[in-house]
Amino acid sequence: MERVPILKIGSILLVSIQVDMSDQTAVQLQEDLAERIVATGAHGVLIDITALDIVDSFVGRMLSTIASISKVLDAETVVVGMRPAVAITLVELGLSLNGIRTALNVERGMELIAAARDDDQDLDEDEDDAGPDGGPATETTASR
Amino acid sequence: MERVPILKIGSILLVSIQVDMSDQTAVQLQEDLAERIVATGAHGVLIDITALDIVDSFVGRMLSTIASISKVLDAETVVVGMRPAVAITLVELGLSLNGIRTALNVERGMELIAAARDDDQDLDEDEDDAGPDGGPATETTASR
């Protein structure tokens, strides 16, 4: 049985779906992902579907299930890399991908997860918003 | 024909090989990668082979070719996620993966690429090694 690899990048788990998903592969992926989220304390799951020519109701349901499982485990799920044709077919089929966030590519997906995370976090790092160079702020203090 | 998706993460291109590579898929991947490196100006290529049960001479040659092409285009190639059994088989087959760097997982591969990059870059950012909080440095100035 084929197994979809799960890659850890920082606090994000990345899954690139390239093979046709069978019932068994889908269940295995859900179990593997749940285990990895718990083991790594990941904050987000990115599911890349660049390779998919079509997202039918089966895959749609799988994505929804993964999103629900991740949510319970305190991780955001973002589906990335959807092709234009896939989006059109999804709408034509009347599938809405309930509860699933999407982003255009992996980088935007990561930003989305980071942004969702920042909302939850305290705002410690906003204190020193003088800019990375910090030049002007120091000068003002010195000139007084 | 199946196409292996190439994901851009920062200045790195990530390829997760999950399908059996045919001659045509391999050539297509090499072409796609070369184009993406040029288009994105990527500094590194990570090839994840977690899903591969075996790396035979064909796949080994493909990896070597990709590494060579990337090198010409000024990008480091790192193969990540090799299973223990694959490593053993590689050695038993007498394949050495010439010119290919490997790392245990995606994160270490990224570190490897970043480290190789840092060697080339100037050391601008080492100047301000007072620490990210910058607190003590400012206080010293103020107390004078």
Side-chain angles (χ1 to χ4, degrees), chain B residues 38-94:
Chain B
V38 172
T40 61
H43 296 154
V45 176
L46 280 180
I47 304 179
D48 168 64
I49 58 169
T50 316
L52 296 189
D53 286 323
I54 188 166
V55 171
D56 54 17
S57 61
F58 174 73
V59 173
R61 206 162 50 237
M62 182 194 74
L63 295 176
S64 291
T65 310
I66 288 176
S68 304
I69 295 173
S70 306
K71 203 179 189 94
V72 180
L73 296 172
D74 191 26
E76 285 282 330
T77 302
V78 179
V79 171
V80 299
M82 189 184 291
R83 296 191 195 177
V86 170
I88 293 167
T89 316
L90 265 181
V91 173
E92 282 176 353
L93 288 174

Side-chain angles (χ1 to χ4, degrees), chain A residues 38-86:
Chain A
V38 172
T40 62
H43 295 152
V45 176
L46 281 179
I47 305 178
D48 168 64
I49 58 169
T50 316
L52 296 189
D53 285 324
I54 187 166
V55 170
D56 54 15
S57 60
F58 174 73
V59 173
R61 205 162 49 238
M62 183 194 72
L63 295 176
S64 291
T65 309
I66 288 176
S68 303
I69 294 173
S70 306
K71 203 178 188 94
V72 180
L73 296 172
D74 193 26
E76 286 281 331
T77 302
V78 180
V79 172
V80 300
M82 189 184 292
R83 296 191 194 176
V86 170

Side-chain angles (χ1 to χ4, degrees), chain B residues 107-128:
Chain B
E107 288 180 319
R108 294 207 186 172
M110 285 180 164
E111 285 167 15
L112 203 61
I113 290 172
R117 208 65 205 170
D118 281 350
D119 290 345
D120 299 346
Q121 302 276 323
D122 50 358
L123 300 168
D124 276 6
E125 296 187 351
D126 281 4
E127 301 281 300
D128 52 344

Side-chain angles (χ1 to χ4, degrees), chain A residues 2-11 14-19 48 50-51 80 83 106-107 110 128 132 138 141-142, chain B residues 2-11 14-19 48 50-51 83 106-107 110 128 132-133 138 141-142:
Chain A
E2 296 198 77
R3 232 172 162 152
V4 180
I6 300 169
L7 307 175
K8 181 172 174 290
I9 302 172
S11 61
L14 174 66
V15 179
S16 178
I17 296 178
Q18 298 175 25
V19 295
D48 168 64
T50 316
V80 300
R83 296 191 194 176
V106 172
E107 287 179 320
M110 285 180 164
D128 51 343
T138 322
T141 317
Chain B
E2 296 197 78
R3 234 174 160 148
V4 180
I6 300 169
L7 307 176
K8 181 172 174 289
I9 302 173
S11 61
L14 174 66
V15 179
S16 178
I17 297 179
Q18 297 174 26
V19 295
D48 168 64
T50 316
R83 296 191 195 177
V106 172
E107 288 180 319
M110 285 180 164
D128 52 344
D133 49 1
T138 323
T141 316

